[in-house]
């Protein structure tokens, strides 16, 4: 039970960190490897049925995908404005 509490607290603190950083859009050189890595870790967590890491890595994958879309949209706007 203690390990589950520690895991959930870790998950919550990481999620709070993500929420606090939502205004920043990371560069593609960070977003793409993070997306691939978190997707692979989500699959790994699912295969091992580690619920804490499944939720954490699943959320990281979703956040990375959102950041990828945000970065592409920002790049398109910059090209249209300056192109």
């Amino acid at each position: 039970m203690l390990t589950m509490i520690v895991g959930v607290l870790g998950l919550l603190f990481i999620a709070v960190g993500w929420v606090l950083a939502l205004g920043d859009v990371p560069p593609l050189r960070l977003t793409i490897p993070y997306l691939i890595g978190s997707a692979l870790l989500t699959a790994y967590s699912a295969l091992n049925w580690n619920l804490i890491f499944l939720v954490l890595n699943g959320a990281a994958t979703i956040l990375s995908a959102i950041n990828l879309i945000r970065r592409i949209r920002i790049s398109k706007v910059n090209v249209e404005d300056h192109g």
Side-chain angles (χ1 to χ4, degrees):
M1 183 63 152
L2 180 61
T3 56
M4 180 65 84
I5 293 170
V6 170
V8 170
L9 284 173
L11 171 68
L12 290 174
F13 275 94
I14 289 173
V16 167
W18 288 339
V19 168
L20 294 174
L22 276 179
D24 300 328
V25 182
L28 284 177
R29 69 179 183 273
L30 173 63
T31 300
I32 292 171
Y34 196 87
L35 174 61
I36 294 167
S38 60
L40 289 170
L41 286 173
T42 300
Y44 176 81
S45 300
L47 292 170
N48 289 296
W49 198 240
N50 185 322
L51 186 59
I52 297 291
F53 284 103
L54 181 62
V55 171
L56 178 65
N57 290 309
T61 302
I62 292 167
L63 183 62
S64 298
I66 291 168
N67 281 335
L68 178 63
I69 292 166
R70 290 170 63 201
R71 177 52 64 192
I72 290 170
R73 286 183 179 170
I74 288 170
S75 296
K76 284 184 181 180
V77 168
N78 289 339
V79 168
E80 290 172 1
D81 288 344
H82 302 296

